[in-house]
Amino acid sequence: MTEAVQLKAGKREWVGLAVIAIPAMLVSLDMFVVLLALPHLTTSIHTNSIEQLWVVDIYGFMVAGFLVTMGNLGDRIGRRKLLLIGAAAFGGASLLAAYATSPIMLILARAVLGIAGATLGPSTLSLITNMFQDAKQRASAIGIWAGAFSVGAIIGPLVGGVLLDHFWWGSVFLVGVPPMILLLVVGPILLPEYRNPQAGRTDIASVVLSLVALLPMIYGVKELARDGWAVVPVVALVVGAIFAVAFVRRQRTLSEPLLDLRLFNNRIFNTELASMLFYSALTGTTMLFIAQYFQTVAGLTPLQAGLGLLPGLLLGIVSLTVGPQLAGRFRPSLLIAGGLLLVVAGMVVITLTGSDGSATGVIVGYAIWCLGGGPLLTLGVGLVVGSVPPEKAGSASSLTQIANEFGYAGGVATVGIIGTLVYRSQIADAIPAGLPAAAADAARDSIAGATSAAAALPEQIASAILVPAREAFTNGLHVVAAVSALIVLGVAILNAVVLKDLPPFGQAPGGQGEGPAEAEPTPTEVPAAQKV
């Protein structure tokens, strides 16, 4: 059996990587600037609380709902073409959002932004897969691509704050326009085109089934995470599950399915997808509790809370960059499992944090956790897209993002509820007698409610609420971190076992000489993708 020769990427590929890292950065930056703009929407275009939720949520709904379709579409029509179409749509929708004159206009613009955003992740990641055929270079490129998300998270609050201080609320949406114009200009020059030359027509029925399966399920999970168990989100989950079964059955009957289910016959592919789903679920939920801890227990301002996260975000970028460099010397099993053990250690540090208002332990624990997460987010993604045929890279890329989307929402709806139950069970018996009924109900509901109620009460009574509320919330954070640490430990063990036979990137099995260090071959037999 002749091994395929893997070509080293040159200057053009690395410059092209810088170009396609821009959309990745904008996705995370957009999330933060929109949240900052919400208070201004009430006074400017008179959004109510429900409309504000839709302004935020509709983007994520559309991204997750269209990921499967866009991943497959890029494989069929060309990944560069899809990226440029998405960039044009994203820029146009950003202009529409910036100059929206009503809540419904803004919500519709955000929906278009979500559909356009669904093209960016799969097309950029699959382009990286084809541009960087050498396993070590591909891992480094994915690290830079993933690091762009962290950069967006770091500069998002700063950029949004400056714009809102000096301009009108719509200016935060204009941030995405110049980079998209740049991508449209230089993309055709720097980025190669890849597509599957033997792809058939897109099955419209499968597209519709995927949407009516994913959208209700995402809605149901997010609503359960936000408001707890209720009839409507549960019905949405059931409806989504029914259509998901119909979608899977249809894919099995098609010669050119929207989602090739044979991809899931690969053990490493499944392991890394599951690992990313659990990692997103557990770390995302813990992160949500940390953000609340900073402001309600430690008493930090939003800016101080953001600065508290900065060491972790910076170490995360280091991890995303250094992990791929080590992948040429150490086995993926060692790097991924070892990194996840660092994540566990960081969560253990968080469980030792007290309710006395000191944020130091949480900041240190979060930093350790971010340092350990890089190998899974880079090498794991590389193993997923590297374990499928090149012409299926778009579909594989979309699945990694779906895993992250469902993971976060599902984690908040499950592990997050455990933390909330701990808080409510402990605060229930600690409410002082004689407290106004409205204040007592607010304190029983959440730490944010307790903080808000205490602000309107005399200092002595306020302290009688805040002390037990902060202690109860801190205990809830401890439980969330402990449960997350145990499950992440299980994910680390799973990776150590499943990946144990994979050599370092660039080495042939057995550690001798240079060779591709890809995941086990996929059983999917489809001709290689065409490079244009």
Side-chain angles (χ1 to χ4, degrees):
M1 177 177 172
T2 303
E3 290 185 352
V5 178
Q6 291 188 334
L7 301 176
K8 294 280 187 178
K11 181 179 179 181
R12 179 182 176 183
E13 285 77 15
W14 289 107
V15 176
L17 173 65
V19 173
I20 61 179
I22 295 173
M25 181 181 69
L26 283 176
V27 169
S28 58
L29 186 148
D30 178 81
M31 294 170 57
F32 284 95
V33 297
V34 169
L35 291 175
L36 290 174
L38 284 179
H40 300 263
L41 300 180
T42 302
T43 56
S44 299
I45 57 174
H46 309 294
T47 56
N48 58 38
S49 59
I50 300 299
E51 290 166 340
Q52 286 191 4
L53 288 176
W54 276 108
V55 167
V56 175
D57 286 345
I58 193 67
Y59 178 85
F61 288 161
M62 293 296 105
V63 168
F66 279 89
L67 278 172
V68 170
T69 298
M70 295 305 178
N72 179 272
L73 189 61
D75 292 336
R76 293 173 185 270
I77 70 170
R79 291 153 192 175
R80 184 182 69 186
K81 179 184 290 187
L82 181 66
L83 175 61
L84 296 180
I85 291 172
F90 197 95
S94 296
L95 286 171
L96 183 64
Y99 294 99
T101 56
S102 67
I104 189 64
M105 183 177 175
L106 180 57
I107 292 169
L108 290 174
R110 290 282 293 165
V112 176
L113 276 170
I115 296 172
T119 70
L120 302 180
S123 56
T124 53
L125 183 53
S126 55
L127 274 172
I128 288 173
T129 303
N130 293 117
M131 291 163 62
F132 298 90
Q133 298 181 30
D134 176 76
K136 288 186 289 187
Q137 287 189 323
R138 182 168 63 239
S140 297
I142 291 174
I144 294 171
W145 174 82
F149 286 94
S150 296
V151 171
I154 292 172
I155 68 174
L158 301 177
V159 171
V162 170
L163 289 174
L164 291 171
D165 281 345
H166 294 86
F167 303 99
W168 91 113
W169 64 267
S171 62
V172 300
F173 293 104
L174 297 180
V175 173
V177 177
M180 291 305 173
I181 294 175
L182 175 64
L183 179 58
L184 289 170
V185 172
V186 303
I189 301 171
L190 293 174
L191 301 178
E193 180 63 288
Y194 292 89
R195 64 174 179 264
N196 180 4
Q198 297 189 358
R201 298 174 63 88
T202 299
D203 181 54
I204 301 302
S206 293
V207 173
V208 174
L209 284 173
S210 71
L211 291 175
V212 295
L214 286 173
L215 291 177
M217 292 177 72
I218 296 166
Y219 169 80
V221 170
K222 287 195 172 186
E223 288 300 301
L224 289 176
R226 177 184 293 140
D227 300 321
W229 292 97
V231 174
V232 173
V234 171
V235 170
L237 281 174
V238 173
V239 170
I242 292 172
F243 281 109
V245 171
F247 173 79
V248 169
R249 295 183 66 176
R250 182 167 181 82
Q251 301 317 291
R252 289 175 174 168
T253 66
L254 298 175
S255 58
E256 289 289 338
L258 185 68
L259 177 62
D260 193 340
L261 300 179
R262 292 175 294 176
L263 298 177
F264 295 98
N265 293 339
N266 188 306
R267 185 171 53 125
I268 292 175
F269 179 90
N270 293 338
T271 297
E272 297 313 298
L273 270 186
S275 297
M276 283 183 275
L277 185 145
F278 279 109
Y279 183 83
S280 176
L282 300 168
T283 58
T285 304
T286 308
M287 179 68 198
L288 182 63
F289 275 74
I290 287 175
Q292 294 181 76
Y293 176 91
F294 278 157
Q295 297 188 58
T296 59
V297 178
L300 303 183
T301 66
L303 176 60
Q304 291 171 333
L307 293 175
L309 298 175
L310 191 58
L313 293 173
L314 292 175
L315 283 176
I317 293 175
V318 171
S319 179
L320 291 169
T321 306
V322 173
Q325 306 304 317
L326 298 176
R329 300 181 58 188
F330 301 98
R331 292 176 178 271
S333 58
L334 178 62
L335 292 174
I336 294 177
L340 290 175
L341 290 179
L342 270 181
V343 174
V344 172
M347 290 181 170
V348 170
V349 171
I350 292 173
T351 65
L352 303 177
T353 302
S355 59
D356 56 0
S358 173
T360 303
V362 174
I363 293 173
V364 171
Y366 178 67
I368 295 172
W369 143 16
C370 288
L371 183 62
L376 174 63
L377 300 179
T378 52
L379 307 185
V381 170
L383 289 171
V384 168
V385 296
S387 65
V388 304
E391 64 276 6
K392 297 293 182 182
S395 296
S397 301
S398 69
L399 290 173
T400 64
Q401 292 186 281
I402 290 174
N404 288 331
E405 183 73 26
F406 270 100
Y408 175 75
V412 174
T414 52
V415 180
I417 286 179
I418 294 174
T420 301
L421 290 176
V422 170
Y423 169 83
R424 290 176 178 172
S425 64
Q426 293 193 9
I427 195 64
D429 298 327
I431 300 294
L435 192 68
D441 290 341
R444 291 189 187 97
D445 182 64
S446 67
I447 181 67
T451 303
S452 178
L457 296 172
E459 183 177 351
Q460 186 173 0
I461 300 177
S463 178
I465 296 176
L466 287 177
V467 170
R470 288 169 175 167
E471 183 175 352
F473 183 81
T474 302
N475 290 336
L477 170 62
H478 291 169
V479 171
V480 167
V483 171
S484 298
L486 286 173
I487 299 176
V488 171
L489 178 61
V491 174
I493 294 171
L494 176 66
N495 277 269
V497 172
V498 173
L499 306 181
K500 61 183 175 59
D501 294 327
L502 285 184
F505 284 3
Q507 293 186 19
Q512 299 297 321
E514 292 290 326
E518 302 293 346
E520 60 190 36
T522 174
T524 309
E525 298 294 340
V526 186
Q530 178 182 10
K531 178 178 178 179
V532 179

